Amino acid sequence: MTNVPLLDLKAQYAQIRSEVMPIIEQVCASQRFILGEHVLALEAEVARYCASSAGIGVSSGTDALLLALMALEVGAGDEIITSPFTFFATAGTIARLGARPVFCDIDPVSFNLSPAAVQDFVDRQCHVQGGELRNRATGGRIKALMPVHLYGQSADMQPLMAIAKAHRLKVIEDAAQAIGTEYQGTRVGSIGDIGCFSFFPSKNLGAFGDAGLCTTNDAQLAESMRVMRVHGGKPKYFHSVIGGNFRIDELQAAVLRVKLKYLDGWTEGRQRNAAFYDAAFAAAGMGNRIVTPQAAGHGRHIFNQYVVRVANRDALRDFLTARGIGTEIYYPVPLHLQQCFAYLKHAPGDFPESERAARETLALPIYPELTREQLEAVVAAILEFHAAGQRRVLSS
Ligand SMILES: *Cc1c(COP(=O)(O)O)cnc(C)c1O
């Protein structure tokens, strides 16, 4: 049996070990662990990679979102429109600041926030009062859109930016899974007001622990985020605003600088693996039983995850687990149905496409170091599952 873990970072580590260990050693020798030269250099390098004028290194992707919202002065009475089909942090950070997450359903093909759903919400449930867009039901002020570039594919930004412009909403891109993703030739994170990236180990560019980064083309927002990252102290010990400790570690920045040089090669490996799966499932005539990721046609997909849609998802997952093939469900419970958001008073059926995606999607192993044998084992196991299912149907 060919074992295929969902993700195996050891192969990547073996590739960079001899380069990364001396740099870790150097940082340790300097004992300069906070906001040193590697942080400054990483910020400039990632900003350039993401076509943004500024980068602010932070402690995690979650803190990138939190810091972005704080820099935009989001608080009680504000509402942020986002997707219910995403990692918890997207909405969790909004709620932690006393603001209200407003969910709009996803596009069933890309799994990203549907511009049509957002437009529909604005047209039917909002009104303009004192030059501000307000939610009729709550009286809250709609302050920003927070699209997520899920799995490494861009949300449909052009219509979302048009809605934002029409109503003077800020745009925060949750690009945690999307470093290097492009929308119509533009790197994500540089399209809205602030882009938020995560360097969690399982992301395409992963640290040796937690780390993240905000990008922006707005010098004033960059300055606000830099100040708020260190408790809002400017100069040190003098606070005109309340920030937090959102700093990225020097050690993580040093590791990430080594890895950044390899990122495009790794991303190409993921894209090659995705193309292998696409072709193999198509050749096997699985078109109607397994929906492979559909390129939305507006740019570079970096395949942080390769997520398929299948009808009997849980049975397939159990079958693959028994054959030593790792999979994951991103995400099993859409955010509007999370217990902690019960106060938003949502019910099953409110966002049918998000709920269907939560029932039907499954992430397959996609990391760049997968061997041909491993890729073939994943495809063979899925075909075997369906052949067995077919026999069951025919004999019943
Ligand atoms: C990973 C992720 C985050 C949070 O990043 P952390 O670094 O784990 O805090 C936020 N949003 C999305 C969509 C993510 O995938």
Side-chain angles (χ1 to χ4, degrees):
M1 191 168 85
T2 310
N3 231 55
V4 193
L6 180 68
L7 174 64
D8 177 9
L9 288 166
K10 290 196 196 90
Q12 189 192 73
Y13 178 55
Q15 197 187 336
I16 58 161
R17 185 173 189 274
S18 64
E19 205 178 332
V20 85
M21 291 316 272
I23 291 172
I24 289 178
E25 187 74 50
Q26 277 169 26
V27 174
C28 292
S30 77
Q31 289 291 299
R32 176 98 206 250
F33 295 123
I34 303 296
L35 300 183
E37 57 174 307
H38 288 294
V39 171
L40 262 182
L42 177 77
E43 290 176 339
E45 288 158 9
V46 175
R48 195 175 325 119
Y49 188 83
C50 297
S52 296
S53 58
I56 297 92
V58 295
S59 26
S60 67
T62 303
D63 285 345
L65 293 168
L66 192 62
L67 183 61
L69 291 163
M70 288 171 73
L72 293 169
E73 296 174 35
V74 169
D78 293 330
E79 306 196 353
I80 313 290
I81 296 174
T82 192
S83 166
F85 189 61
T86 175
F87 180 60
F88 180 75
T90 312
T93 48
I94 296 167
R96 281 168 65 187
L97 291 171
R100 186 181 182 90
V102 174
F103 298 118
C104 290
D105 211 352
I106 56 168
D107 172 272
V109 174
S110 70
F111 302 110
N112 281 319
L113 184 62
S114 157
V118 175
Q119 186 68 61
D120 189 62
F121 171 78
V122 168
D123 290 345
R124 298 194 331 167
Q125 305 204 45
C126 298
H127 63 121
V128 176
Q129 187 189 318
E132 291 173 336
L133 190 66
R134 288 189 176 266
N135 183 338
R136 260 186 235 282
T138 62
R141 174 177 48 225
I142 310 293
K143 185 132 180 186
L145 303 182
M146 196 192 270
V148 182
H149 307 305
L150 202 69
Y151 308 143
Q153 175 161 250
S154 176
D156 192 2
M157 293 303 287
Q158 193 273 326
L160 291 173
M161 293 304 290
I163 295 169
K165 188 158 184 246
H167 299 284
R168 289 190 291 157
L169 308 178
K170 300 293 182 188
V171 176
I172 299 162
E173 295 175 67
D174 183 339
Q177 301 181 7
I179 188 163
T181 295
E182 288 176 5
Y183 178 78
Q184 296 177 352
T186 305
R187 289 273 153 121
V188 302
S190 70
I191 301 168
D193 295 275
I194 300 176
C196 299
F197 294 88
S198 166
F199 304 128
F200 185 77
S202 68
K203 304 296 160 85
N204 283 30
L205 179 62
F208 286 2
D210 281 304
L213 187 133
C214 294
T215 51
T216 184
N217 286 310
D218 180 321
Q220 224 165 330
L221 281 176
E223 167 69 7
S224 284
M225 288 192 281
R226 284 218 171 82
V227 173
M228 287 207 188
R229 174 176 65 175
V230 289
H231 293 290
K234 196 199 172 184
K236 204 174 179 183
Y237 307 126
F238 292 82
H239 302 262
S240 55
V241 291
I242 301 170
N245 175 356
F246 301 128
R247 292 181 298 259
I248 186 172
D249 283 334
E250 181 75 358
L251 276 168
Q252 299 301 351
V255 169
L256 288 164
R257 289 187 69 205
V258 172
K259 286 196 169 192
L260 181 59
K261 293 183 290 182
Y262 296 92
L263 181 57
D264 283 327
W266 291 333
T267 295
E268 278 162 27
R270 289 170 179 271
Q271 291 168 333
R272 255 195 320 276
N273 293 344
F276 178 92
Y277 283 141
D278 287 350
F281 292 129
M286 295 289 286
N288 55 346
R289 284 198 232 127
I290 175 163
V291 182
T292 52
Q294 302 295 296
H298 41 233
R300 184 181 192 228
H301 190 331
I302 65 154
F303 288 101
N304 178 244
Q305 300 297 343
Y306 183 92
V307 173
V308 297
R309 190 194 279 279
V310 286
N312 33 9
R313 191 262 318 269
D314 294 337
L316 173 62
R317 185 168 196 226
D318 291 345
F319 185 88
L320 294 175
T321 303
R323 272 166 183 63
I325 294 168
T327 59
E328 187 54 276
I329 299 167
Y330 302 110
Y331 297 88
V333 182
L335 300 187
H336 66 287
L337 300 179
Q338 293 288 351
Q339 197 181 344
C340 66
F341 289 136
Y343 68 92
L344 296 173
K345 304 247 184 295
H346 284 297
D350 281 2
F351 304 110
E353 289 302 342
S354 297
E355 293 165 32
R356 193 161 72 87
R359 279 195 306 271
E360 298 182 347
T361 54
L362 189 65
L364 305 182
I366 193 67
Y367 64 93
E369 296 82 6
L370 284 169
T371 63
R372 175 80 184 220
E373 190 196 357
Q374 287 177 309
L375 290 165
E376 281 169 354
V378 174
V379 173
I382 291 173
L383 297 188
E384 196 192 325
F385 173 79
H386 282 287
Q390 197 73 351
R391 278 197 300 279
R392 275 198 298 276
V393 171
L394 291 175
S395 62
S396 66

